[in-house]
Amino acid sequence: MSDLIAKLNKALKPKGTSGPQGTFRHENEAEILDAAKKLLAKSHFGRELLTYADTKKLEMHVLRNKKDFGYLPENSAIYISCPAGQSMPPARAVIHLAGAIRKAYQEVDGSIPTPSVQVGRERFSRQLVEKSTDSSLYQTIVVYELVQNTGLLEILDEFDRMGYRSLYEAYALKQAEPEGKKEE
Amino acid sequence: MNWQKLERTETAKIIQRVSETPDGVLFSKSTSEATAAVLSFYRGFNLVRLTNYATLPSFTLDFLSDGSSFYLLDGSPDPLNRVSARGALVLNDQNVIDYVDFFFSHVTTEEGDIFLVRDPNALPFMSSLSLDQQIQVKKHHADPVVEYDRENDVFLVHAVMYFAGVLLRATLTVQPDGQIEISNHAMLMAAGGVH
């Protein structure tokens, strides 16, 4: 408990890592993205996402922030975020990167575009849920494959922190079923 | 938070300043909106929120601003420290709890967010706790109490906090420059269970 309070007090002290203006980018952007991409490449679906990002020349950036971001069509860029002065474990970054690339795919490919409010409330809500479900599914598959391929259990803790543990468990259960039943 | 939508011209001015950064493209004049909120503990600085509605989920960044300088709230204590260094922080026994709450809302740690428990029912993670844990959080709740330590010129806030899955009672020492230190802690509920 005292260790936790010591860590907390250290985190509350100013670090001098951020400037008032100039850039919103994280000071460790290159390292965070490099580690996340290397890890993503260890998953089959992750490699597909990376290939897609390369093909479409999607920029990738890490913002100094505590909120999650996504895809911005104006500059074909993917944004993930990490608070200033903190490192972002690859196990966390890879989940956000996978989700953001998939969100880019939804828009660029036009498979699940951002709905307009003019389509009506019901369809608008349905499309929003569909977008969210689709990117969460890809994140779940990447997490599952990384656990299977690398034994990286830390990524499960990160997924749990995001509130998605049940998605992983449901997907893992489905994968454990015999082939015939899986396709039902 | 009492957000006020800013006039179009004011919004355009803010976006112009922010667009001077390499990621200025995050906010375009046609799809973005600026709102502002007055904070009782800052003199001359407001909380400014820029939102780009062209994307889903929308892009939002928060700044502390006096109208000419924009300090991005980046999850670290640094922007708050910089604004304080400009002489903008004015703490008193009426606003120090609001300041601590604001600080914890915008500063995060490697272990996760810190919550000052002012109203257990308003905690964003409450529904994710087990029923037993929810009962414990409510049972241990006490409103934060402020004390001014004249000798050391600091405010002492005695409060219940939630951090890294742990519910604790602690004293938060708030310096005139806004720096916060936690002491006299007592665990009320351990991570994942009841203490």
Side-chain angles (χ1 to χ4, degrees):
Chain A
M1 182 68 178
S2 293
D3 281 356
L4 192 66
I5 298 297
K7 273 187 193 172
L8 181 52
N9 277 329
K10 193 177 168 197
L12 300 182
K13 294 228 177 308
K15 294 163 192 69
T17 50
S18 54
Q21 294 157 57
T23 179
F24 303 150
R25 305 263 177 95
H26 196 278
E27 62 275 13
N28 298 329
E29 178 179 89
E31 293 88 339
I32 290 170
L33 287 174
D34 187 47
K37 284 197 264 186
K38 278 182 184 152
L39 187 55
L40 194 54
K42 292 179 180 173
S43 139
H44 169 73
F45 273 84
R47 281 194 298 279
E48 285 192 355
L49 289 170
L50 283 174
T51 302
Y52 182 78
D54 277 349
T55 309
K56 297 296 176 185
K57 296 186 170 39
L58 301 177
E59 287 180 30
M60 295 181 195
H61 296 296
V62 184
L63 297 180
R64 286 185 284 127
N65 213 276
K66 58 182 275 191
K67 295 174 195 154
D68 196 18
F69 289 87
Y71 171 67
L72 189 68
E74 277 88 340
N75 58 343
S76 295
I78 286 160
Y79 293 89
I80 60 173
S81 65
C82 175
Q86 292 186 23
S87 56
M88 191 178 197
R92 184 180 309 157
V94 76
I95 300 172
H96 290 285
L97 194 62
I101 299 175
R102 185 61 192 176
K103 280 177 190 157
Y105 175 86
Q106 294 172 353
E107 296 295 326
V108 178
D109 181 67
S111 57
I112 318 175
T114 300
S116 156
V117 285
Q118 285 150 351
V119 299
R121 190 184 295 176
E122 196 181 321
R123 197 166 148 203
F124 182 80
S125 307
R126 203 170 51 238
Q127 279 181 255
L128 277 190
V129 172
E130 198 181 343
K131 278 176 80 70
S132 174
T133 307
D134 176 75
S135 60
S136 302
L137 175 64
Y138 268 76
Q139 288 175 311
T140 307
I141 296 172
V142 165
V143 169
Y144 176 80
E145 289 185 343
L146 288 177
V147 171
Q148 294 297 311
N149 299 349
T150 68
L152 182 72
L153 295 176
E154 184 193 336
I155 199 167
L156 280 181
D157 294 334
E158 294 293 345
F159 216 38
D160 197 17
R161 273 168 59 143
M162 292 170 71
Y164 289 166
R165 178 80 182 210
S166 57
L167 290 181
Y168 172 85
E169 286 168 355
Y171 187 77
L173 192 67
K174 197 76 186 158
Q175 293 306 304
E177 286 176 357
E179 280 305 311
K181 200 175 175 195
K182 214 184 291 182
E183 285 160 15
E184 281 171 17
Chain B
M1 198 70 73
N2 189 16
W3 291 104
Q4 300 287 325
K5 190 174 166 184
L6 297 181
E7 298 280 335
R8 259 187 121 71
T9 49
E10 192 62 26
T11 301
K13 264 200 286 182
I14 293 172
I15 290 173
Q16 177 62 37
R17 287 302 310 274
V18 169
S19 67
E20 290 163 9
T21 73
D23 288 302
V25 68
L26 283 170
F27 300 99
S28 71
K29 286 175 191 166
S30 57
T31 60
S32 302
E33 180 184 279
T35 49
V38 174
L39 300 167
S40 62
F41 40 84
Y42 283 131
R43 189 173 47 200
F45 274 80
N46 289 330
L47 178 62
V48 172
R49 171 168 289 176
L50 274 183
T51 305
N52 183 352
Y53 289 106
T55 60
L56 277 174
S58 52
F59 272 63
T60 298
L61 290 180
D62 290 344
F63 303 84
L64 288 174
S65 175
D66 61 356
S68 56
S69 297
F70 290 84
Y71 296 86
L72 172 68
L73 290 167
D74 58 15
S76 81
D78 291 4
L80 288 91
N81 191 49
R82 282 167 194 263
V83 168
S84 172
R86 299 266 309 259
L89 185 65
V90 183
L91 293 175
N92 58 46
D93 56 1
Q94 299 297 306
N95 65 22
V96 69
I97 292 175
D98 287 338
Y99 171 74
V100 171
D101 201 3
F102 180 80
F103 188 102
F104 288 163
S105 300
H106 290 90
V107 175
T108 190
T109 75
E110 302 268 5
E111 287 74 30
D113 288 337
I114 315 151
F115 298 91
L116 179 74
V117 185
R118 300 177 81 170
D119 174 4
N121 294 312
L123 288 172
F125 54 84
M126 199 61 169
S127 60
S128 67
L129 299 179
S130 70
L131 192 60
D132 193 26
Q133 287 174 316
Q134 290 184 31
I135 291 168
Q136 291 300 317
V137 170
K138 287 177 185 171
K139 183 182 140 192
H140 288 295
H141 180 66
D143 288 334
V145 173
V146 177
E147 184 188 336
Y148 177 60
D149 178 347
R150 193 172 297 277
E151 195 179 328
N152 296 304
D153 187 26
V154 293
F155 285 100
L156 303 173
V157 178
H158 307 284
V160 175
M161 300 164 58
Y162 187 87
F163 172 64
V166 175
L167 189 73
L168 63 145
R169 184 180 294 122
T171 299
L172 312 169
T173 303
V174 187
Q175 303 284 346
D177 66 0
Q179 291 198 40
I180 298 175
E181 186 162 343
I182 296 164
S183 61
N184 299 329
H185 60 274
M187 185 159 61
L188 302 173
M189 186 177 82
V194 178
H195 184 60

